[in-house]
Amino acid sequence: MQEANDVRGELVGLSHAVDEGRTEAGLRDAYVQRYATQLLGQAADQRAKYTLRWKFSELAAVEVRIGPDDDGPALVRAILEAPTAELLTDVTLVGVPDGARRVDLSPAMDLLGGARQITTLGLVDDRARSSKMLVSRDFDAGENLVTFGSFAPFLERLVGLSFDVADSQAIAGLEGLSAPELRSFALRSLRFADWEDASTMSGRLATATWPKLESLELRLVETWVANVPNEVEVYIPVYSAEDYDGRDDTDDGDIEGVNWRTDLAPVLATVKSAPLKRLALT
């Protein structure tokens, strides 16, 4: 490639060096930025919207960041059509809320669903991924700031599926999930259990069919009750919001406790005959 003045030739060398620890990833990133048009095509115009992972001179995985004002389908189409995306199989869509302004990933999902080469899918609420706590003023968690859309068109071919979300109970399509090729599933959320049990989510996941599953990751979040919660890195500020007018004697709250051994038993039964190699319950 280098003899043919193909910019991907130097990229191969840089990728090898990064993988072997002989050079910093920043040097490769600078090279990609310099030759963005040749390597990324139209996606070069929105370079900041993408997080790229390389294998030699080809894209191995891509994160696409989509805000309330972005054309999600256009961002997805541009990266799928990049000259270096012929072998791309792993795409993560990241919804990036702006304050209280929500993001709907459904149009981008509809377009991505037609890309048959995509076999690993990540769906991320960027606010939830960077938060530690989901707070509401009643027992309703409130709406998620990011809507994922339907992942049903992917299920027959997916080998990897992951979620980073605020309220896991708002994810449509988990009940009765049938994924014959799925090897890895991860659900990281800010709400999994209700006050005394986790039967809602465990009941949905217990209906899953994933005979080839090798990795299962669940973040098992419990529900606490407090008069005025001590909000730390909260998803949407409530009691720490600037316009909150009320008691300020915050406390850590109380918890009823969940019998995880009992509530998770139906979920774990689904992988009893699967070739499971990794189980992460955090």
Side-chain angles (χ1 to χ4, degrees), residues 20-227:
E20 295 171 1
R22 293 185 286 108
T23 192
E24 296 180 359
L27 292 177
R28 180 177 58 189
D29 293 342
Y31 183 84
V32 171
Q33 183 65 34
R34 180 180 178 185
Y35 295 103
T37 301
Q38 293 97 312
L39 295 170
L40 302 176
Q42 292 186 354
D45 295 335
Q46 296 285 340
R47 174 66 183 86
K49 294 292 182 179
Y50 305 105
T51 300
L52 311 174
R53 193 172 83 231
W54 296 92
K55 183 175 182 180
F56 307 134
S57 62
E58 297 291 330
L59 285 170
V62 174
E63 271 198 7
V64 186
R65 297 176 61 83
I66 301 172
D69 297 322
D70 291 325
D71 186 339
L75 290 172
V76 171
R77 183 182 298 109
I79 199 64
L80 290 178
E81 294 177 351
T84 51
E86 291 184 9
L87 303 180
L88 179 64
T89 61
D90 185 337
V91 172
T92 296
L93 300 183
V94 183
V96 185
D98 181 7
R101 298 176 65 206
R102 304 175 186 275
V103 178
D104 186 359
L105 297 180
S106 300
M109 282 283 283
D110 291 342
L111 188 143
L112 189 61
R116 300 294 302 176
Q117 74 273 25
I118 303 304
T119 56
T120 299
L121 175 67
L123 295 170
V124 175
D125 177 337
D126 191 58
R127 180 84 60 79
R129 183 167 62 175
S130 61
S131 299
K132 292 183 177 180
M133 180 184 297
L134 176 63
V135 173
S136 65
R137 301 194 74 166
D138 50 37
F139 290 98
D140 182 3
E143 294 185 10
N144 290 335
L145 292 174
V146 177
T147 301
F148 291 149
S150 175
F151 50 88
F154 298 85
L155 287 178
E156 288 297 317
R157 65 181 187 268
L158 280 184
V159 298
L161 178 62
S162 64
F163 299 92
D164 289 87
V165 63
D167 181 9
S168 63
Q169 296 187 19
I171 301 176
L174 287 181
E175 191 164 7
L177 184 149
S178 178
E181 301 299 324
L182 197 67
R183 268 67 168 183
S184 175
F185 179 86
L187 175 56
R188 296 175 288 265
S189 69
L190 299 174
R191 181 200 186 193
F192 188 94
D194 293 311
W195 172 237
E196 295 179 319
D197 65 79
S199 60
T200 298
M201 285 308 301
S202 62
R204 293 177 187 177
L205 294 176
T207 63
T209 302
W210 37 35
K212 298 181 180 179
L213 197 70
E214 298 177 355
S215 175
L216 175 61
E217 177 182 345
L218 301 175
R219 181 179 294 160
L220 305 178
V221 185
E222 296 183 321
T223 298
W224 295 66
V225 174
N227 288 322

